[in-house]
Amino acid sequence: MPDLRGSTVTWLGHATVLIQTPAGTTALIDPFIEQSPTYPKGFQLPKTIDLLLITHGHFDHIADAVPIARKYKPKVIGVAELTGFLASKGVENTQGMNYGGTFRHADLTITMVEAKHSSGIQDGDKIIYGGNPAGFVIGIGNGPTLYHAGDTSLFSDMKLIAELYAPEFGMLPIGDNYTMGPKAASIAAKYLLLKTVLPIHFGTFPGLTGTPAELSTYLEDSSIEVLYLNPGDSL
Ligand code: NI
Ligand code: MN
């Protein structure tokens, strides 16, 4: 099991992840709740959510952003076009960012990094330009540094993410079809020099066929740990 130095990471199915730090700071990433087939029904979110991080504008990452923002009043962080869209829907406290930038809040350091994907936002029967899709490097006060890749293919500049930020815990999509699959994710984990991988974005929909077991097979020759969690499980 990874050493999270007192922080808690909870996987809520698909790409939805809750992070709670020892100082009591709470961040929720990519809220896909009401219509997610794999969200743990009845899961109690904490009373406060300080930061809401959105990697890109696709439905399965943004679906519950507006209701969560209304209820918890977090700082909502995403690429500038995406936070602009959310502001147009009444979200008040937004923090637009872009690649390479860092935003600090309490004991969290949030850096927006590249993702190779798309980011159109479905708004009724229209698709709105959502800016570039992103990943987040999340530094926690006394460590560790986490990386949520968002939806992405493998790209060799993940080596730069390792060089600049040295994340040890990576949340990587493995489902295939819309993102990289297990083989590419295993190379990503090696490029990133991760100690631990939490596989995300698999099994939610029929096309997302990659499995943590396949990822493990591709990482057999390394010391990188692959986590097997069920939605709702905490570390
Ligand atoms: Ni997507
Ligand atoms: Mn997705």
Side-chain angles (χ1 to χ4, degrees), residues 14 56 58 60-61 117 151 201:
H14 205 54
H56 66 291
H58 289 158
D60 53 317
H61 300 259
H117 193 64
D151 281 2
H201 212 278

Side-chain angles (χ1 to χ4, degrees), residues 6-21:
S7 289
T8 303
V9 171
T10 305
W11 183 49
L12 295 171
H14 205 54
T16 309
V17 178
L18 177 69
I19 295 163
Q20 295 165 282
T21 76

Side-chain angles (χ1 to χ4, degrees), residues 99-120:
Y99 294 165
T102 297
F103 173 77
R104 291 172 185 80
H105 177 93
D107 56 338
L108 287 180
T109 303
I110 311 293
T111 302
M112 179 170 284
V113 295
E114 180 180 10
K116 299 276 191 194
H117 193 64
S118 62
S119 186

